[in-house]
């Protein structure tokens, strides 16, 4: 179970499902905020990475450095595949063939799995990075194009080609590190998480960072976008919790900072 933190003590009770309910926007020290619907403790050690499976209406995450978990939309574990990799950090769902892709930081490799956990393929990404500073996040766009994050030194968002070769690299300098990403096709942005900054950034290659959202929890390590359910899902590594926010606030016009 996750540790109780001071700001959770003021939240309003428990729902019958065990989820914390909050009607107002989550308050954070800096940056814009998103409307927090609820958060739920996970039976996953050190969850990292998050992906939505829109066909099954479930989530996928990795934990314990080596295992893959299937969750329902409220965080209950539906399936667990053990020993998939050595240092798993990210996971993505392919809208093209309904397979899973996981990022293994130990050797900067991508592992393709079936929904049942069968290993289908493995590919090394040609990135030079420091130990424990390599592949940290992965996502696919609606056409199945693969994007990955290099955590830091350097921070990179990398577009991969059809054979998973490096097609294009974008240097990222707006945060201390980069822990996961998801693509919001309707908004036209990547949602990029920073563990060190405790923030979510909206970024694309044309405009750079357009908005920054401070997050009310430590160690954000996974993000997934549900455009149909209008939800934004995030996981905390340290607190081992799932957080569910309203997606409309992500796409609304930025609030004015003028008096």
């Amino acid at each position: 179970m996750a540790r109780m933190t001071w700001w959770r003590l003021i939240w309003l009770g428990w729902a019958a499902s065990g989820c914390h309910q909050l009607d107002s926007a989550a308050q954070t020290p800096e940056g814009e905020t998103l409307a927090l619907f609820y958060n739920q403790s996970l039976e996953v050690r050190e969850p990292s990475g998050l992906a939505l499976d829109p066909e099954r209406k479930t989530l996928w995450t990795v934990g314990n450095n080596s295992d893959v978990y299937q969750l329902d939309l409220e965080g209950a574990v539906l399936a667990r595949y053990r020993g998939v990799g050595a240092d798993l950090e990210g996971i993505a769902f392919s809208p093209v063939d309904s397979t899973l892709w996981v990022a293994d930081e130990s050797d900067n490799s991508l592992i393709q799995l079936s929904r049942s956990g069968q290993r289908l393929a493995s590919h090394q990404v040609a990135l030079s990075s420091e130990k424990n500073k390599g592949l940290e996040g992965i996502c696919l766009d609606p056409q199945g194009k693969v994007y990955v994050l290099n955590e830091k030194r350097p921070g990179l968002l990398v577009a991969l080609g059809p054979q998973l070769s490096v097609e294009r690299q974008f240097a990222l300098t707006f945060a201390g590190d980069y822990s996961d990403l998801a693509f919001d096709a309707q908004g036209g942005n990547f949602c990029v998480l920073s563990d060190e900054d405790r923030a979510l950034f909206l970024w694309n290659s044309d405009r750079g960072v357009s908005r920054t959202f401070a997050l009310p929890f430590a160690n954000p390590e996974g993000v997934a976008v549900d455009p149909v359910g209008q939800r934004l899902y995030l996981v905390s590594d340290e607190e081992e919790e799932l957080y569910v926010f309203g997606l409309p606030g992500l796409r609304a016009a930025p609030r004015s900072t003028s008096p």
Side-chain angles (χ1 to χ4, degrees), residues 79-177:
R80 179 180 181 180
Y81 307 133
R82 300 175 185 267
V84 173
D87 187 10
L88 302 183
E89 293 291 349
I91 188 165
F93 176 81
S94 171
V96 175
D97 57 13
S98 300
T99 60
L100 302 170
W101 288 89
V102 293
D104 192 326
E105 191 179 29
S106 67
D107 59 359
N108 282 347
S109 66
L110 302 180
I111 302 166
Q112 186 180 24
L113 303 171
S114 69
R115 275 198 185 109
S116 61
Q118 178 185 4
R119 182 185 288 250
L120 303 175
S122 180
H123 305 266
Q124 274 200 306
V125 180
L127 288 175
S128 298
S129 56
E130 296 182 17
K131 186 176 181 180
N132 297 324
K133 301 291 187 294
L135 285 187
E136 191 74 13
I138 179 172
C139 74
L140 279 70
D141 69 15
Q143 290 71 47
K145 188 174 186 62
V146 179
Y147 298 86
V148 295
L149 276 179
N150 197 72
E151 181 182 4
K152 62 194 307 183
R153 300 175 191 165
L156 297 171
L157 191 152
V158 182
L160 301 181
Q163 304 303 316
L164 298 181
S165 59
V166 174
E167 183 177 89
R168 192 172 180 188
Q169 298 185 28
F170 301 92
L172 304 181
T173 59
F174 52 83
D177 72 344

Side-chain angles (χ1 to χ4, degrees), residues 215-226:
L215 299 173
F217 58 89
N219 297 115
E221 288 279 349
V223 57
V225 175
D226 179 2

